[in-house]
């Protein structure tokens, strides 16, 4: 009894997943040969295999029947040179044009057609077609993978150019800090933590909550005009593994930075170092405590006058802020402690900071500072010249000592 289209379709569906390309080609050819006249069309209609493929299979069957066919090498389903040519072979300039579109050099080329758009597969394919290439976005993805490309996120590794005396400054800082710690003098690392929005805003991280009941926060991060931002300025006692954070509500200025150091000394430092004869500070080279900020040095002069002993400062060279100990010994633990919690008020921020601890014994105290610190305060030349500053021979702009002025 002759096979119907349904019978052929059912047999092909059952076997096709178990056969390789050549075996499927021979199977449909055998079905067409059994049917006879009109078999190629019937099998093509039932299986979806093209008439050309079925005809090739019939040729292979007839050649093998008369022993004229040379057996294929083991593991191959086509003869060498069989199948559709790769796009890179039929279109010699395709790869070079594609690489020109995604080459990092084009980021600085204002004439690049994709200079100001994301380089998605579809946009790359559109641009290649505009240049005369016949290619789909799927083919573009295959070409990129074949050339060793993959989707990459930005990597935070660049902090600026290396200063030629970077390593020498590290040695200088370590020497000063080591000598001060050995002498029992206070050594603090200072910096401003990232400014935080105050209010019901999303805070990075996750916290355990009842399933399906996340803490609801605002959709948009528009600053609340009443609550504003919080400016946490930290002081980390390197020798005692203790921290102090002043949470400011106004601007982050040099006056605010030195006031935070003053509050640390009054609340923690003077009780721990009653016989101190010098205070050593390590700080970044930029920001409110930058090496070029005149107000920073003037405020330190006032602090030194109050303390009655010198304040020694060592700045980290440009692009090395992450080496400041406060970053990974204090600020990182604060961020972990309040992860996933909206910072709904300044009081909440102070409490979360103050409850930060570590297994190594870190203890942190925090205080809200509602004082006003105006921006743009200028230090006149005569006032700056009155600062009793002693600069080191090695990079005096980074390493200096501010001594009390005689009354």
């Amino acid at each position: 009894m002759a096979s119907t289209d349904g019978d052929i379709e059912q047999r092909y569906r059952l076997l096709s997943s178990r056969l390789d390309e050549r075996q499927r080609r021979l199977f449909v050819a055998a079905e067409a040969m059994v049917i006879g006249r009109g078999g190629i069309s019937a099998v093509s209609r039932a299986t979806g295999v093209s008439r050309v493929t079925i005809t090739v299979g019939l040729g292979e069957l007839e050649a093998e029947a008369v022993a004229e066919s040379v057996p294929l090498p083991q593991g191959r389903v086509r003869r060498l040179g069989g199948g559709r040519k790769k796009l890179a072979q039929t279109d010699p300039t395709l790869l070079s044009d594609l690489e020109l579109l995604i080459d990092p050099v084009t980021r600085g080329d204002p004439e690049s057609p994709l200079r100001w758009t994301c380089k998605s597969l579809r946009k790359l394919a559109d641009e290649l077609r505009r240049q005369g290439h016949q290619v789909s976005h799927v083919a573009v993805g295959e070409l990129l993978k074949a050339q060793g490309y993959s989707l990459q996120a930005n990597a935070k590794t660049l902090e600026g150019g290396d200063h030629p005396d970077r390593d020498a400054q590290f040695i200088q800082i370590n020497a000063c800090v080591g000598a001060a710690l050995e002498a029992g003098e206070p050594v603090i690392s200072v910096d401003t933590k990232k400014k935080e929005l105050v209010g019901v805003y999303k805070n990075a991280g996750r916290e355990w909550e009842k399933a399906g009941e996340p803490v609801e926060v605002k959709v948009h991060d528009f600053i609340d005009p009443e609550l504003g931002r919080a400016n946490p300025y930290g002081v980390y006692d390197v020798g005692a593994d203790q921290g102090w954070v002043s949470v400011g509500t106004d601007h982050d200025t040099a006056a605010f930075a030195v006031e935070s150091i003053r509050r640390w000394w009054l609340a923690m430092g003077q009780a721990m170092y009653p016989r101190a004869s010098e205070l050593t500070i390590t700080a970044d080279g930029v920001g409110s405590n930058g090496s070029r900020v005149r107000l920073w040095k003037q405020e330190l002069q006032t602090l030194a006058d109050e303390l009655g002993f010198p304040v020694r400062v060592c700045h980290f060279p440009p692009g090395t802020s992450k080496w400041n100990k406060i970053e990974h010994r204090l600020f990182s633990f604060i961020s972990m402690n309040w992860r996933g919690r909206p910072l709904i008020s300044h009081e909440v921020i102070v409490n979360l900071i103050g409850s930060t601890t570590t297994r190594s014994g870190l203890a942190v105290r925090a205080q809200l500072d509602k004082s006003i610190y105006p921006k743009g305060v200028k230090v006149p030349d005569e006032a700056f010249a009155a600062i009793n500053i002693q600069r080191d021979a090695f990079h005096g702009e980074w390493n200096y000592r501010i001594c009390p002025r005689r009354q």
Side-chain angles (χ1 to χ4, degrees), residues 54-301:
I54 298 174
T55 302
V56 171
L58 285 170
E60 293 179 351
L61 288 177
E62 292 173 358
E64 291 179 359
V66 296
E68 294 179 356
S69 175
V70 179
L72 292 174
Q74 186 176 3
R76 291 193 61 88
V77 297
R78 296 179 180 175
R79 300 192 183 281
L80 292 176
R84 182 181 299 175
K85 303 298 182 184
K86 293 185 177 181
L87 285 173
Q89 294 176 321
T90 59
D91 190 347
T93 63
L94 176 60
L95 275 180
S96 59
D97 288 346
L98 176 59
E99 289 185 346
L100 283 176
L101 290 177
I102 60 176
D103 195 303
V105 174
T106 63
R107 294 175 186 171
D109 180 11
E111 300 300 324
S112 171
L114 297 182
R115 175 69 176 85
W116 305 113
T117 63
C118 68
K119 298 173 185 175
S120 67
L121 295 181
R122 294 184 184 275
K123 288 188 177 180
L124 289 170
D126 290 343
E127 179 57 29
L128 288 171
R129 284 195 292 269
R130 192 185 67 80
Q131 297 178 11
H133 301 284
Q134 298 299 318
V135 63
S136 68
H137 68 280
V138 176
V140 170
E142 293 174 350
L143 288 171
L144 290 176
K145 289 182 180 179
Q147 296 301 309
Y149 288 92
S150 63
L151 291 173
Q152 301 284 336
N154 297 156
K156 291 185 176 181
T157 57
L158 305 179
E159 285 195 279
D162 289 346
H163 194 281
D165 292 331
R166 162 181 164 154
D167 291 343
Q169 178 62 7
F170 281 161
I171 295 174
Q172 173 79 3
I173 293 174
N174 289 335
C176 292
V177 170
L181 291 176
E182 187 175 355
E185 301 288 356
V187 178
I188 58 175
S189 171
V190 301
D191 197 10
T192 304
K193 194 181 185 303
K194 181 178 72 73
K195 297 176 177 62
E196 303 288 348
L197 283 174
V198 183
V200 189
Y201 300 102
K202 180 178 180 180
N203 198 2
R206 297 183 295 177
E207 184 71 310
W208 287 104
E209 300 288 349
K210 197 74 173 178
E213 298 180 9
V215 177
E216 297 182 350
V217 296
K218 294 181 179 180
V219 175
H220 302 291
D221 291 342
F222 300 129
I223 186 170
D224 189 313
E226 295 183 2
L227 297 175
R229 298 179 186 270
N231 303 319
Y233 191 90
V235 178
Y236 175 71
D237 187 335
V238 178
D241 192 25
Q242 293 186 358
W244 170 273
V245 178
S246 289
V247 180
T249 60
D250 198 49
H251 300 109
D252 176 24
T253 67
F256 170 60
V258 176
E259 175 61 22
S260 300
I261 297 174
R262 180 181 289 108
R263 294 190 179 202
W264 162 79
W265 176 256
L266 295 175
M268 303 175 68
Q270 65 181 357
M272 186 157 302
Y273 304 98
R275 299 181 180 179
S277 60
E278 184 176 82
L279 172 63
T280 300
I281 301 175
T282 63
D284 294 348
V286 295
S288 58
N289 47 229
S291 59
R292 297 182 179 181
V293 180
R294 283 189 166 196
L295 184 59
W296 162 254
K297 295 182 177 66
Q298 185 184 56
E299 293 291 336
L300 285 180
Q301 178 66 77

